[in-house]
Amino acid sequence: QVQLVESGGGLVQPGGSLRLSCAASGSIFNIPTMAWHRQAPGKERELVAIITSSGHTNYADSVKGRFTISMNNAKNTVYMEMNSLKPEDTAAYYCQANVLRYGTSLEEFWGQGTQVTVSS
């Protein structure tokens, strides 16, 4: 199996910053992509940012210029630096990875989520 463990969420004032981390562990051969999604109460889960193992990134329009996703391939870890946070960024943030395990095809795994609350 593969486990994704997130950390770094919390309460921050508007305009503040947070850094999320997500480490994948288990029988992993390769991780082509990792991503962060979020879900606010009463809303559908949405893709926030995605990164490939070669470093290509893509962001939701709502976070462009404020959030930065990065990946440490050697550590199977993805990060997201979140700056200029707004109350509308409040949500549970979920890490997602497409993982190639030894002897299997590509599989999707999710973390348990970490809460980010932006409030004064």
Side-chain angles (χ1 to χ4, degrees), residues 4 7-8 10 27 42 48 50 59 64 69 79 87 94 101:
L4 300 181
S7 61
S27 180
V48 178
I50 187 168
Y59 297 91
K64 281 181 181 177
I69 190 170
Y79 308 93
Y94 297 90
R101 292 193 287 163

Side-chain angles (χ1 to χ4, degrees), residues 38 46-50 58-67:
R38 67 185 181 187
E46 62 172 348
L47 175 65
V48 178
I50 187 168
N58 200 14
Y59 297 91
D61 288 342
S62 58
V63 306
K64 281 181 181 177
R66 300 188 298 121
F67 291 10

Side-chain angles (χ1 to χ4, degrees), residues 3-119:
Q3 295 81 39
L4 300 181
V5 179
E6 299 128 330
S7 61
L11 173 64
V12 64
Q13 292 187 342
S17 299
L18 282 175
R19 187 184 192 227
L20 304 182
S21 300
C22 172
S25 62
S27 180
I28 298 170
F29 175 71
N30 180 252
I31 303 181
T33 63
M34 298 189 81
W36 288 98
H37 301 249
R38 67 185 181 187
Q39 187 168 21
K43 295 187 177 181
E44 293 188 356
R45 189 172 297 190
E46 62 172 348
L47 175 65
V48 178
I50 187 168
I51 186 168
T52 69
S53 57
S54 59
H56 294 288
T57 60
N58 200 14
Y59 297 91
D61 288 342
S62 58
V63 306
K64 281 181 181 177
R66 300 188 298 121
F67 291 10
T68 302
I69 190 170
S70 59
M71 186 172 171
N72 185 323
N73 295 328
K75 295 183 177 181
N76 291 327
T77 300
V78 64
Y79 308 93
M80 188 160 70
E81 187 73 34
M82 304 185 295
N83 298 316
S84 302
L85 282 161
K86 304 175 181 180
E88 50 263 44
D89 294 317
T90 296
Y93 283 71
Y94 297 90
C95 174
Q96 179 259 329
N98 292 319
V99 178
L100 193 60
R101 292 193 287 163
Y102 292 98
T104 70
S105 57
L106 204 61
E107 299 172 270
E108 181 180 87
F109 293 92
W110 290 83
Q112 79 286 354
T114 185
Q115 180 67 33
V116 171
T117 302
V118 185
S119 175

